[in-house]
């Protein structure tokens, strides 16, 4: 990671902060963003984040789409539509906008890795504590990740999907699962992610 440029969204706390701290400890040049710095639901702000990174460091080696929100399981007919729209704006469109910004820059560079933090719910559906809305957003991200990875073959730009299970984050402040204490720490998840990303770096 030494001297690599890493941009991380949703990095004010939780997994994003743990990733930022670890990347920086390993010598990376890290640009962090949370909603106060760049609202991922606004494409112009995401583009400005990329512009800032390029102006400061010249290239972006890793763009990590980490920003996300969660909502507890509810029957579909009782779900607040406004909350559904807000969740998709962050989870899906926030990643969509981040990918677009990263692809434009990384194609110019002919290298770079886009990392989408998704969830095991993109595989196991309703298992666990997440309901249909959160799960749907993660299924959508899995499809987007896989499809765009194929689109970008032979460009030098790679797309990585990360599918962590439950980990201890205040994402669950609204309703912590009963087995929250058994979840992974954000530090252990961050270490696993960064260790694998280092495999993406040519020697």
């Amino acid at each position: 990671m030494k001297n690599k440029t890493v941009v991380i969204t949703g990095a004010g706390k939780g997994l994003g902060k743990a990733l930022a701290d670890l990347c920086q400890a390993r010598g990376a040049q890290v640009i962090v963003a949370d909603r106060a710095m760049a609202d991922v639901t606004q494409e112009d702000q995401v583009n400005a984040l990329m512009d800032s990174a390029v102006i400061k460091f010249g290239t972006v080696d890793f763009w990590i789409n980490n920003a996300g929100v969660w909502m507890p399981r509810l029957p579909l007919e009782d779900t607040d539509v406004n909350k559904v729209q807000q969740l998709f704006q962050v989870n899906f469109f926030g990643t969509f906008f981040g990918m677009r910004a990263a692809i434009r820059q990384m194609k110019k560079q002919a290298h770079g890795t886009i990392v989408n933090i998704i969830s095991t719910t993109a595989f196991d559906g309703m298992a666990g504590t997440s309901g249909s809305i959160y799960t749907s957003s993660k299924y959508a991200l899995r499809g987007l990740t896989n499809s765009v990875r194929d689109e970008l073959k032979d460009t030098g730009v790679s797309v990585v999907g990360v599918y962590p299970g439950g980990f201890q984050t205040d994402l669950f402040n609204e309703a912590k699962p009963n087995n929250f204490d058994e979840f992974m720490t954000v530090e252990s998840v961050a270490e696993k992610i960064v260790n694998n990303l280092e495999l993406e770096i040519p020697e």
Side-chain angles (χ1 to χ4, degrees):
M1 278 288 172
K2 189 172 183 180
N3 297 325
K4 299 299 180 182
T5 302
V6 183
V7 179
I8 307 172
T9 67
K13 53 190 175 182
L15 179 60
K17 185 177 185 305
L19 285 167
D21 290 344
L22 185 56
C23 288
Q24 191 168 38
R26 295 193 183 182
Q29 302 164 147
V30 182
I31 291 184
V32 299
D34 62 13
R35 190 168 184 176
M37 304 172 201
D39 183 347
V40 297
T41 69
Q42 304 299 314
E43 187 167 21
D44 59 338
Q45 294 187 33
V46 176
N47 290 339
L49 176 64
M50 173 57 85
D51 291 342
S52 296
V54 173
I55 289 168
K56 187 164 187 178
F57 297 117
T59 62
V60 172
D61 300 292
F62 294 94
W63 179 286
I64 303 178
N65 290 303
N66 171 71
V69 294
W70 178 80
M71 61 189 297
R73 178 184 296 179
L74 283 172
L76 194 69
E77 68 273 20
D78 296 331
T79 303
D80 185 324
V81 173
N82 290 327
K83 286 189 175 182
V84 173
Q85 292 174 331
Q86 180 185 20
L87 182 143
F88 267 84
Q89 285 294 328
V90 177
N91 289 3
F92 181 80
F93 283 101
T95 297
F96 170 75
F97 294 147
M99 292 182 76
R100 280 160 61 92
I103 289 167
R104 290 182 182 120
Q105 175 59 30
M106 290 176 178
K107 275 187 171 180
K108 293 177 189 175
Q109 303 168 178
H111 79 273
T113 301
I114 300 166
V115 183
N116 296 337
I117 307 297
I118 308 178
S119 168
T120 54
T121 59
F123 295 104
D124 60 25
M126 291 297 294
T129 59
S130 297
S132 58
I133 303 306
Y134 178 82
T135 298
S136 297
S137 73
K138 296 302 182 178
Y139 264 82
L141 284 182
R142 180 184 169 199
L144 180 69
T145 299
N146 291 344
S147 298
V148 175
R149 180 188 298 121
D150 187 61
E151 287 178 16
L152 294 175
K153 64 184 179 182
D154 303 323
T155 66
V157 182
S158 57
V159 181
V160 176
V162 177
Y163 299 87
F167 56 90
Q168 295 173 358
T169 171
D170 56 11
L171 194 71
F172 296 112
N173 277 352
E174 192 173 343
K176 283 185 180 179
N178 293 331
N179 60 339
F180 183 79
D181 292 341
E182 300 171 11
F183 285 6
M184 299 176 287
T185 65
V186 290
E187 291 78 14
S188 66
V189 176
E191 184 172 16
K192 186 71 72 173
I193 292 169
V194 173
N195 286 347
N196 278 279
L197 290 183
E198 287 185 327
L199 299 176
E200 291 279 317
I201 301 171
E203 294 186 8

